[in-house]
Amino acid sequence: ETGVTQSPTHLIKTRGQQVTLRCSSQSGHNTVSWYQQALGQGPQFIFQYYREEENGRGNFPPRFSGLQFPNYSSELNVNALELDDSALYLCASSPEGVNIQYFGAGTRLSVL
Amino acid sequence: KQEVTQIPAALSVPEGENLVLNCSFTDSAIYNLQWFRQDPGKGLTSLLLIQSSQREQTSGRLNASLDKSSGRSTLYIAASQPGDSATYLCAYRSNDYKLSFGAGTTVTVRA
């Protein structure tokens, strides 16, 4: 049990819609990262937030955006969904000063 | 750009056989390297983490080695069991905090 909870577990959307995925971390986990894992591939880094500020971003377009809140929860928002956005989205958090990331179970997004 | 390569992509062995999973990476400035287990459709479970200053880590039947100079890590699983069937991912962390993952090795242990 990592203490990182993601919701919903599964989601179906149609192309062009917008989606919000949520992640709840343990108290004191000031860093949260989001990853996209397409079928048969390893997770790809989307972005990272530290103390509610984005402090790193992978090769994802601006329609992928995020928020981190003071209560250690965070959101991943994706606008104008495309078929290729279908994937497992993973959230990972870390306590202050600890270089281990604790992963949630993920949200499976299907775009039709 | 393929930063992390895992070979083989899939592996099937009879129960009791030892497993050897390979991971190679191109970034020499890694901060640490981690091995994860992923069951179908599930999230990631951390198995072992090796700091850049370490050569290996052990946990039960699992042993992971790290050779930064050659850009390689190996995960050994002794006396495999059907419950070890899963996909095993390696990932390294560089100084910018993100994890860079390989595509994984899918292991099937036959009873």
Side-chain angles (χ1 to χ4, degrees), chain B residues 12-71:
Chain B
S12 179
V13 299
E15 183 176 3
E17 195 164 297
N18 297 331
L19 291 164
V20 179
L21 309 181
N22 297 299
C23 171
S24 61
F25 48 91
T26 55
D27 191 342
S28 60
I30 70 168
Y31 192 78
N32 60 40
L33 186 137
Q34 205 163 353
W35 284 91
F36 293 88
R37 171 185 171 136
Q38 185 172 34
D39 292 292
K42 304 295 185 182
L44 306 179
T45 300
S46 179
L47 298 174
L48 291 168
L49 180 144
I50 312 174
Q51 301 292 353
S52 62
S53 58
Q54 298 176 318
R55 297 282 295 184
E56 66 177 333
Q57 279 288 341
T58 298
S59 176
R61 295 184 293 112
L62 276 59
N63 173 274
S65 66
L66 174 64
D67 185 341
K68 271 184 57 179
S69 61
S70 66

Side-chain angles (χ1 to χ4, degrees), chain A:
Chain A
E1 192 63 46
T2 65
V4 180
T5 305
Q6 291 188 242
S7 62
T9 54
H10 295 88
L11 201 51
I12 299 174
K13 292 286 189 178
T14 56
R15 192 170 48 181
Q17 285 188 311
Q18 178 267 343
V19 69
T20 298
L21 310 182
R22 294 182 171 82
C23 174
S24 177
S25 305
Q26 293 186 58
S27 176
H29 284 214
N30 296 318
T31 302
V32 65
S33 302
W34 286 88
Y35 294 83
Q36 179 195 66
Q37 186 178 22
L39 199 60
Q41 298 182 23
Q44 297 293 314
F45 175 73
I46 302 174
F47 46 56
Q48 180 180 86
Y49 280 77
Y50 174 69
R51 293 181 181 264
E52 301 163 52
E53 297 280 339
E54 183 181 301
N55 75 338
R57 190 176 184 91
N59 293 324
F60 282 82
R63 60 189 185 85
F64 285 78
S65 63
L67 286 171
Q68 186 185 25
F69 302 102
N71 66 352
Y72 306 105
S73 66
S74 62
E75 291 180 354
L76 165 65
N77 298 291
V78 187
N79 293 323
L81 284 167
E82 301 177 358
L83 297 179
D84 285 349
D85 296 334
S86 295
L88 180 68
Y89 289 85
L90 297 163
C91 162
S93 68
S94 303
E96 185 80 44
V98 176
N99 61 19
I100 298 175
Q101 296 189 19
Y102 297 90
F103 281 81
T107 293
R108 171 74 61 188
L109 173 65
S110 298
V111 182
L112 306 179

